[in-house]
Amino acid sequence: MLAVYIDDQPGAWTEGAASRWWLHHSLAAFAASLNALGNGLHLCRGVALSELRALIDAADIGAVFWNRLYEPELIERDRTIKSALRDAGVAVESFNGGLLNEPWELRTKSGGPYKVFTPFSKAQREFVVAEPLPSPAALPPPPELTQGLALADLRLLPTLPWDAGFIETWKPGESSAMAMLDDFADGPVARYQAERDLPARPATSRLSAALHFGEISPRQAWHAAQSAQGEAAEPWLRQIQWREFAHHLLFHFPHTATEPLNPAYASFPWRDDYAADLAAWQRGQTGIPIVDAGMRELWHTGWMHNRVRMLVASLLTKNLLIPWQEGARWFWDTLVDADLPNNTLGWQWTAGCGADAAPYFRIFNPVTQGEKFDPDGRYVRRWLPELKRLPDKWLHKPWQAPAEILRGSGVSLGASYPAPIVDLAESRQIALDLWANEVRGRH
Ligand SMILES: Cc1cc2nc3c(=O)[nH]c(=O)nc-3n(C[C@H](O)[C@H](O)[C@H](O)COP(=O)(O)OP(=O)(O)OC[C@H]3O[C@@H](n4cnc5c(N)ncnc54)[C@H](O)[C@@H]3O)c2cc1C
């Protein structure tokens, strides 16, 4: 048996820099696990079909197996490989290792795909989630072959050393993911509903990258949480169902990675003079503390809390009127859990143009959201040390703080920390008027 990883990334969505960092370490961990089972991981790079053909010839391989991927361009690639290999007399089978259900298994009463989460989630619960299979205790040795590439030859790691924060935050690989899942299922999953929106708490599983890269499967996550906590795990299981919903949507509406699902948004008049504001948002320099904290958490760790993802996305699309695709691209490059279905759903949901999306008039107020979900300012102070001494009362709105408070806290707006790049109330009204005129009439 030969286990193979081919670094082949067709199309527009080649993995971003943060994902490639994760992939490097994940492959190292996978290779170590396979070695311990008496096999190993053969690495190559190039067009997958040609690489596979070369291996099939070199090692006289009669059958090829893989777990399915669901991004539109990868479906196309894998379909081509399957038929070409079958035509050449090689047995080929693909399996579902990454989802609870195949995206085509769930259908509305009229036979179409779902666009609303609640009926989708009800339909999904009609299926029994199969128990995960046990891992093998040993594997047959690999065939004699010339050596594959070394992991370093895939050049997945950054050339500049910007990954120190990643190294201190993450340990990619199956055994670490399983340990995180066990710890989470033991206790935090039962407190998830109460604490999930508080970004300063370690209250969510942080398993998104492990799920994306297939280090653990949603079936394992589902059964671990359910058997440890029963009913109390339900709110978290719903998040696993959101992941399923995202895959369902992208499978049935493959154009939505770049185009709005709701066609009423196709000609929305986004700004086009936004380069400076986009750069300020990317660098965590908007002058809106909870947004800047999130963007700096993202840059430092490659991850951001879900509540804060919604806030930064709302500021970008609704207050700054920058196209959601710009935000999605930045997330794609900087998130270790960058995932085309989930990222597309998250951005389209926040911008209001996706399935079951936030209505256009829902524009998060980052000040009141900060005060509600980070009331003692622990999250903001962690990521914005320049605001550390500002009292809680002003932490989420330093531009309203009296001059002597700012001075006493060592904050100089426009120098040590930016003044806000946008007036929240004014920009909210502009967005509401635009949406009412440009979108509502076309719904
Ligand atoms: C603008 C925006 C962009 C996003 N981009 C991504 C992305 O690229 N990759 C990604 O995995 N998630 C994305 N999300 C969804 C969500 O923020 C993350 O999945 C979550 O924060 C990961 O943390 P966790 O593993 O601790 O999640 P938990 O709260 O522990 O949830 C468990 C798992 O459920 C899934 N999940 C949770 N929330 C969602 C959701 N809203 N939609 C779909 N699946 C969900 C994830 O796989 C997650 O690991 C995005 C959300 C927004 C608002």
Side-chain angles (χ1 to χ4, degrees), residues 184 192 196 203-209 211-212 236 238-244 246 303-307 309-310 312-313 331-332 335 337-350:
F184 185 70
Y192 182 77
R196 56 175 289 206
T204 69
S205 70
R206 299 170 77 96
L207 285 168
S208 43
L211 282 163
H212 169 78
W236 190 68
R238 275 177 81 76
Q239 299 311 120
I240 302 293
Q241 291 188 301
W242 272 101
R243 179 178 181 274
E244 295 283 310
W303 185 88
M304 192 197 299
H305 187 275
N306 179 61
R307 168 66 41 181
R309 291 188 202 204
M310 293 194 287
V312 305
F331 270 29
W332 183 256
L335 278 171
D337 67 17
D339 179 271
L340 201 57
N342 284 2
N343 201 36
T344 303
L345 175 85
W347 278 97
Q348 294 224 22
W349 184 91
T350 317

Side-chain angles (χ1 to χ4, degrees), residues 46-90:
V47 176
L49 179 56
S50 324
E51 295 296 319
L52 280 172
R53 280 192 164 128
L55 288 170
I56 287 165
D57 287 348
D60 196 21
I61 285 165
V64 178
F65 308 101
W66 66 76
N67 281 341
R68 289 182 203 110
L69 296 170
Y70 299 92
E71 292 86 342
E73 286 163 341
L74 304 186
I75 293 176
E76 244 353 272
R77 177 196 65 188
D78 293 350
R79 233 180 234 148
T80 308
I81 295 176
K82 200 179 252 181
S83 65
L85 293 186
R86 279 183 179 158
D87 288 350
V90 179

